[in-house]
Amino acid sequence: MKLIKHLLVIASVFLATAACTSSGKDAKDKGKEETGMPERASALLPRKDSIALAKLYQDYEKAVDDLNHHTEIFDEEYNLKLEKLKTDFETSLTSNPHYAPVVELRNLLLAYQRDMQKDEEHKYDVEIEVEEGTPEEFVYHEKDIYFQKKWDEKLLKLLQEHPDFMECPPYMFEEALDPGVTVATSADGRIRYYSYLSGEWRMIVSVTCIRQYLTDSGQTVVSMVENDDSWGLVEEVHTLKVKGKTVYLLKKTHSEGRLYTTYNAEAIEGEKIIHPVVFDTEEHKAPYVLYNTDGPEKDWVAKYDEKTKTIYLRVTDRENHYWLNDAYVTYTFDGKMFRFSGQHKD
């Protein structure tokens, strides 16, 4: 009996230790119960290394910001200082053996970027089939589409082949792919969006968005999100609890001839993504709410208050080219839905 008790103590200590190191996001048992997040089989970095890596990136970004802030003329001296900052950062990153997994993944991203930049210089040399007599500008447009589709698929494949990217902090992508990909991740680490501008044609901007999420069974799923009217650059991901289930509120910016922003709701159900109906507008119930504008910028056009769970949207004047005015509407979450809660003035 004593032996059994001794083994149970050892087992409990082992499991506790594993729980502390199983995620780079401090995945404690209580946190898992609150988020419903399944236990991951392995982690990219232990907690302490993840914190140290975050600080390394933040210190590097601050140094670059300070240099830019105190420099009026970007001359040769500035370039030398910037190059030194980059070199010091690279040395700190690559000389630490604990960061080897992150360095390997980051190198894959950098290789993707280098290949894309190299092909960018020669993309119009590619031969594609077009009807005889097609205007040159349309031929260039078709080549743009061909080129972008090729690299969209390559990035998608890269993320699919390396599920450990799910463990990497967003700033790793910003540093490696800047200024390309906007990375937005939920607080519980279960869902992430990689989105970027992938083309522009006669005032219409195309957006590519890749969704990566962890299913209830612990599998990492990566897929391209359809580029329809409901999608754009995912700038923010907020987390809600609706009837005990986790719902993700996405803030997205679009441009389909007119700029507009939406707040969309998504959730993970088993192995798939669903779109819960959580908006009760004046006109209908839907999984999203949006506004349109072509007008001058305000201090803000759309924002979300985490504390009060309220969405603020500027009102637009449809008779005046959708310009923003000084009024705004609010939608407040009541535990079940975001309900229209009035129109206000600044």
Side-chain angles (χ1 to χ4, degrees):
M1 184 62 71
K2 289 183 178 180
L3 178 60
I4 293 175
K5 288 183 178 180
H6 184 63
L7 290 174
L8 287 174
V9 170
I10 293 175
S12 66
V13 172
F14 173 78
L15 290 174
T17 303
C20 291
T21 58
S22 64
S23 171
K25 298 183 180 294
D26 198 18
K28 296 182 180 179
D29 291 340
K30 183 179 179 181
K32 292 175 186 175
E33 291 173 3
E34 292 175 350
T35 62
M37 185 174 178
E39 187 172 349
R40 304 187 188 187
S42 63
L44 191 65
L45 288 177
R47 175 67 173 169
K48 61 181 180 63
D49 290 331
S50 180
I51 293 174
L53 180 61
K55 188 176 186 307
L56 178 63
Y57 276 103
Q58 290 165 0
D59 289 347
Y60 167 67
E61 289 179 348
K62 184 179 184 304
V64 173
D65 288 343
D66 289 344
L67 176 62
N68 291 336
H69 182 71
H70 294 98
T71 302
E72 295 183 359
I73 301 176
F74 299 131
D75 53 12
E76 185 176 352
E77 183 180 357
Y78 164 82
N79 291 329
L80 290 174
K81 290 180 179 179
L82 182 61
E83 193 61 35
K84 184 178 186 306
L85 287 175
K86 291 181 179 179
T87 301
D88 291 345
F89 167 77
E90 290 289 339
T91 301
S92 300
L93 182 66
T94 56
S95 62
N96 190 328
H98 293 110
Y99 299 156
V102 167
V103 171
E104 182 179 352
L105 292 175
R106 179 172 169 273
N107 287 341
L108 292 173
L109 286 176
L110 290 171
Y112 163 86
Q113 186 187 52
R114 285 193 300 270
D115 288 348
M116 188 174 182
Q117 290 172 343
K118 184 178 179 181
D119 274 16
E120 176 78 28
E121 300 173 3
H122 306 286
K123 68 178 180 180
Y124 293 126
D125 297 336
V126 66
E127 296 293 332
I128 60 172
E129 293 185 8
V130 294
E131 294 184 7
E132 187 175 349
T134 300
E136 188 174 10
E137 65 168 323
F138 284 93
V139 175
Y140 283 156
H141 177 55
E142 291 300 318
K143 289 184 177 183
D144 281 337
I145 294 175
Y146 173 86
F147 173 81
Q148 189 60 52
K149 184 178 179 181
K150 170 185 173 182
W151 288 101
D152 289 348
E153 292 174 349
K154 184 166 184 177
L155 180 58
L156 177 66
K157 183 178 179 182
L158 182 64
L159 294 172
Q160 288 174 332
E161 291 179 345
H162 299 275
D164 279 349
F165 272 123
M166 191 70 176
E167 299 281 0
C168 291
Y171 45 76
M172 192 190 86
F173 296 89
E174 294 167 3
E175 195 282 324
L177 294 175
D178 184 59
V181 181
T182 298
V183 183
T185 310
S186 62
D188 61 10
R190 282 199 69 181
I191 196 163
R192 171 176 285 176
Y193 301 85
Y194 309 83
S195 52
Y196 49 96
L197 300 179
S198 53
E200 184 175 354
W201 177 247
R202 297 189 173 184
M203 299 299 292
I204 296 179
V205 177
S206 298
V207 173
T208 294
C209 182
I210 298 176
R211 182 198 293 116
Q212 186 179 40
Y213 66 96
L214 200 66
T215 69
D216 288 342
S217 66
Q219 298 298 313
T220 299
V221 176
V222 183
S223 61
M224 195 78 71
V225 179
E226 291 298 325
N227 188 11
D228 56 24
D229 289 343
S230 65
W231 278 96
L233 288 173
V234 181
E235 299 177 346
E236 301 171 4
V237 182
H238 305 281
T239 306
L240 300 165
K241 283 292 183 181
V242 182
K243 297 179 181 178
K245 295 185 178 180
T246 300
V247 173
Y248 303 105
L249 180 67
L250 318 180
K251 179 184 178 182
K252 298 176 293 184
T253 301
H254 316 245
S255 178
E256 297 288 343
R258 178 185 298 120
L259 175 68
Y260 65 100
T261 290
T262 65
Y263 281 93
N264 289 56
E266 290 199 344
I268 302 170
E269 186 175 79
E271 308 298 299
K272 62 182 181 179
I273 295 292
I274 62 172
H275 301 87
V277 177
V278 297
F279 290 100
D280 187 2
T281 70
E282 292 180 291
E283 300 173 351
H284 58 268
K285 294 181 179 179
Y288 67 91
V289 65
L290 63 84
Y291 78 94
N292 296 276
T293 176
D294 269 346
E297 291 185 3
K298 294 286 184 179
D299 291 338
W300 58 269
V301 292
K303 61 184 180 181
Y304 176 66
D305 188 329
E306 287 273 10
K307 187 175 180 179
T308 62
K309 293 182 171 53
T310 300
I311 294 173
Y312 296 81
L313 299 172
R314 285 285 185 185
V315 173
T316 57
D317 183 357
R318 296 188 179 186
E319 295 181 0
N320 191 21
H321 305 290
Y322 291 93
W323 280 23
L324 297 169
N325 59 40
D326 292 331
Y328 60 92
V329 297
T330 55
Y331 291 86
T332 303
F333 185 67
D334 64 4
K336 294 181 180 179
M337 300 191 78
F338 281 96
R339 302 189 190 278
F340 177 74
S341 49
Q343 181 167 321
H344 318 270
K345 284 279 190 178
D346 280 341

